[in-house]
Amino acid sequence: MRRHEAPEPGSGDSQPGIPNEPLIAFVGQPNCGKSTLFNALAGFKANTGNFPGTSVAITQSRVAFAGLHARIVDLPGTYSLTPRDGAEEVTRRFLSEHRADAVIAVVDASVLSRSVELTLELLETGLPMVVALNMMDEARRKGIEVDVAALEARLGVPVVPTVATRGEGVVAVAIRAMTAAKARRPGIPPVYDRDIEESLAGLQEAAPRGLADSLRVPQRFLAVRLLEADPFLLKHLDRDAANRDFLDLAAAQRQHLAELHGWPEESVFGSHRHAAAVDLFESVATVRSRTRRSKRERLDDVLMHPFWGLVFAALALAALFLVAFLVGDRVASLVQRPFNALGQALLPAGVTGFWADVGRGLLDGIAGGAGIVLPYLVPLLLIMSVMEDVGYLPRAAFLVDGLLHRVGLHGKSIIPLILGYGCNVPGILGTRILESPRDRVITALLVPLTACSARTVIILALVAATLGPLAALGIYLLNIVVTALAARLLSAIVPGTAPGLLMDIPPYRIPPVRAVLRKVWFRVREFLVAAWPVLIVASVFLGVLTYLGIDRWVNEALRPVTVGVLGLPEAVGVTLFFGILRKELSLVMLFQALGTTDVASVLTAAQLVTFTLFVTFYVPCVSTLAAQVREVGWRWTLVGVGLNTSIALGVAVIARLAMGG
Amino acid sequence: MTLADATVGRLLKVIGRNAPRHGGGETIAGLGIHVGEEVIVVRAAPVSGPILVEVPSSGVRVAMGRGMAEAVVVEPADAAA
């Protein structure tokens, strides 16, 4: 049934592994702790999240225990094998293309009856399987006791209790899965009501000879998926005219069952599997009723309160920026000091020539990156990762959904937008948590408007340092208002419909420190690998331009905008233009262009604000653009560029006029 | 009656499902809200925002926008069936 020499359609990783190195797939519903379990085995190689659908990208790793080797892969969380979005489809395809030798079905013991439904579906695939009964600690707190031996007997596969956050049972699961991959013994698929079983038997009988084998699935799985009207399979089978009669029979059976049970056709089978899951749950678990309100409920009374919850959210955001103001500013000057000293020692102000300009560019590039990463990016990402893994972000989405709907946004959009304040790139990647393409486009075009750490640096250096922290706060508030207006505009332009909010609210969890650090490291690494080199190259490039005197031409060409429209000195033209390469370059280049770091001595207050606002709103850096192209395509990226530029010009001109610049 | 007009704190029974106006209804069952299940609206978000629905039998908690909530037909759990 599972022949590995067969070609694997659409497979992305057909690299040959070590012989006898089975591929083990982690499958589970969102928030069941699947990624945490995976990471506990894989070490510092994967990303983990507490928000439904965070693990969109497939992560792979190699492990070895007790002399056994395996490749492990973390598949996106899915509620069922009938895919509802791109991420879930990845999981479904991975399983139906038989790329796994065994499955670790991760089950959240604290919501066992729901979680085990996916396990029942997985049993039907006939893949060798081990169940990781995760979150045993949470289940015990809720008063749920599970009879592991009874569950094993019912499912016909090994069941290992685990607490992934503490690493309990993790190695045992891996070893059992490796053994299962070798033994190739499938579990016991669920048995349904008699009429369903009759339909299944009829379909298995009528199935075209060799069809199940050609799909490399068990006969029963094929019949089950057809009764479920699995769109994935129906589309696949419909391509071959020889299957028409069989598909018609399946449709007739579905209708027959729907009439028999008085339920809508598409939910008959799902309801029966649900009943099977509930029956299983009741036979293997006992629940002691709780008497007192849990900590979660008491915490939610405040954090999800219609009024106090919003107050808390606002305070949390304010705290986020306070960290940027207080910590970042101090650390930044500490980080910059050695670079400045080095610059003065190696290239004193009098030295000129090609290599001096290039050298200054190189040093500025390195210093610029260091000045962003350590003081601003790391603390912001740290706080955001904690908020994400504790389970606060879904609650924030719940609270603001109503408000965001007023401007045509989805509640979940708040998450990429918040992430955008750290760095726009993870923000744009974060739009994948949104189900509808429309919401994804709107949010991906809004993220570049949020003031990322690079722009925070500029706001702090130019506005907070010269006009005071209140002025900087004003810029942030303006930023939020403008983003809301842009959302309104985009929701009128971007076509399509958006399903309403539907989101699991997981219990609060204290994330393992390692998991948080790992996540921060991944996002910082993204910056180090993708953005910092660009920053350094761009900075050197700028040094060359300075040497060649090309910056003067750029300034001349941009003069109508910089001097005419914005009322800024001509010298900032090159700064604005090449700021696209990296936002933080704008500051470095501004210092270069003006020939001083004491900008207040050269620019008026109005000019400072105009410049800062323009830089804040206008085209994001190349890394962000690249991410945007990848997520929403060229056309929408161009719309975004147009939007950014118009907003930047508009806001900057209004500021100039208002401040009498 | 649908979940959208349910009172907070009252035990309800799901008796049917409509297709939500903007689609996405399949996920409702995936998240654990099935026909025949008892549910409670635990809290409501401000400015006609979503509601938080709990399924006491499984402990599942799901946030649901108004459009989605309108698609879930319920009746009081104590009503004579």
Side-chain angles (χ1 to χ4, degrees), chain B residues 49-81:
Chain B
I51 54 172
L52 183 65
V53 183
E54 178 173 310
V55 185
S57 73
S58 62
V60 166
R61 281 189 170 195
V62 175
M64 220 184 229
R66 295 277 155 177
M68 288 285 177
E70 278 167 17
V72 181
V73 185
V74 293
E75 64 177 18
D78 45 30

Side-chain angles (χ1 to χ4, degrees), chain A residues 114 274 296 301 501 503 505, chain B residues 31 37 43 60-61 63 65:
Chain A
R114 181 181 88 188
H274 173 63
R296 160 187 175 169
D301 281 343
L501 183 79
M503 177 179 64
I505 301 287
Chain B
L31 279 161
E37 200 82 66
R43 60 184 84 237
V60 166
R61 281 189 170 195

Side-chain angles (χ1 to χ4, degrees), chain B residues 5-72:
Chain B
D5 18 72
T7 352
V8 170
R10 180 142 190 215
L11 191 66
L12 305 158
K13 186 176 175 152
V14 180
I15 53 170
R17 249 177 48 204
N18 306 320
R21 255 176 304 158
H22 301 296
E26 314 83 29
T27 325
I28 296 178
L31 279 161
I33 296 173
H34 294 268
V35 172
E37 200 82 66
E38 286 185 341
V39 296
I40 300 176
V41 177
V42 185
R43 60 184 84 237
V47 278
S48 56
I51 54 172
L52 183 65
V53 183
E54 178 173 310
V55 185
S57 73
S58 62
V60 166
R61 281 189 170 195
V62 175
M64 220 184 229
R66 295 277 155 177
M68 288 285 177
E70 278 167 17
V72 181

Side-chain angles (χ1 to χ4, degrees), chain A residues 71-206:
Chain A
R71 275 193 299 153
I72 54 174
V73 55
D74 184 16
L75 296 179
T78 179
Y79 288 106
S80 84
L81 288 188
T82 308
R84 283 174 259 267
D85 60 35
E88 296 191 358
E89 196 175 317
V90 166
T91 302
R92 169 61 193 276
R93 285 186 51 174
F94 196 96
L95 293 174
S96 59
E97 285 164 6
H98 326 282
R99 317 224 276 115
D101 297 288
V103 170
I104 294 181
V106 186
V107 164
D108 178 353
S110 69
V111 287
L112 186 59
S113 66
R114 181 181 88 188
S115 214
V116 87
E117 275 186 57
L118 180 63
T119 311
L120 296 182
E121 272 187 275
L122 287 169
L123 282 170
E124 283 165 343
T125 65
L127 286 164
M129 199 167 97
V130 173
V131 172
L133 194 58
N134 196 31
M135 309 220 174
M136 284 301 278
D137 51 343
E138 179 77 27
R140 261 175 235 127
R141 263 199 295 280
K142 285 174 81 174
I144 301 171
E145 286 297 334
V146 184
D147 182 343
V148 175
L151 187 59
E152 257 179 355
R154 285 285 296 260
L155 301 177
V157 296
V159 176
V160 183
T162 58
V163 182
T165 49
R166 293 203 299 260
E168 286 171 24
V170 169
V171 174
V173 166
I175 292 176
R176 296 296 282 273
M178 293 187 216
T179 322
K182 254 190 198 160
R184 305 212 149 190
R185 202 167 45 84
I188 308 165
V191 177
Y192 302 103
D193 284 0
R194 225 180 75 196
D195 39 348
I196 297 251
E197 286 296 333
E198 274 166 13
S199 288
L200 285 174
L203 281 175
Q204 277 173 258
E205 194 108 326

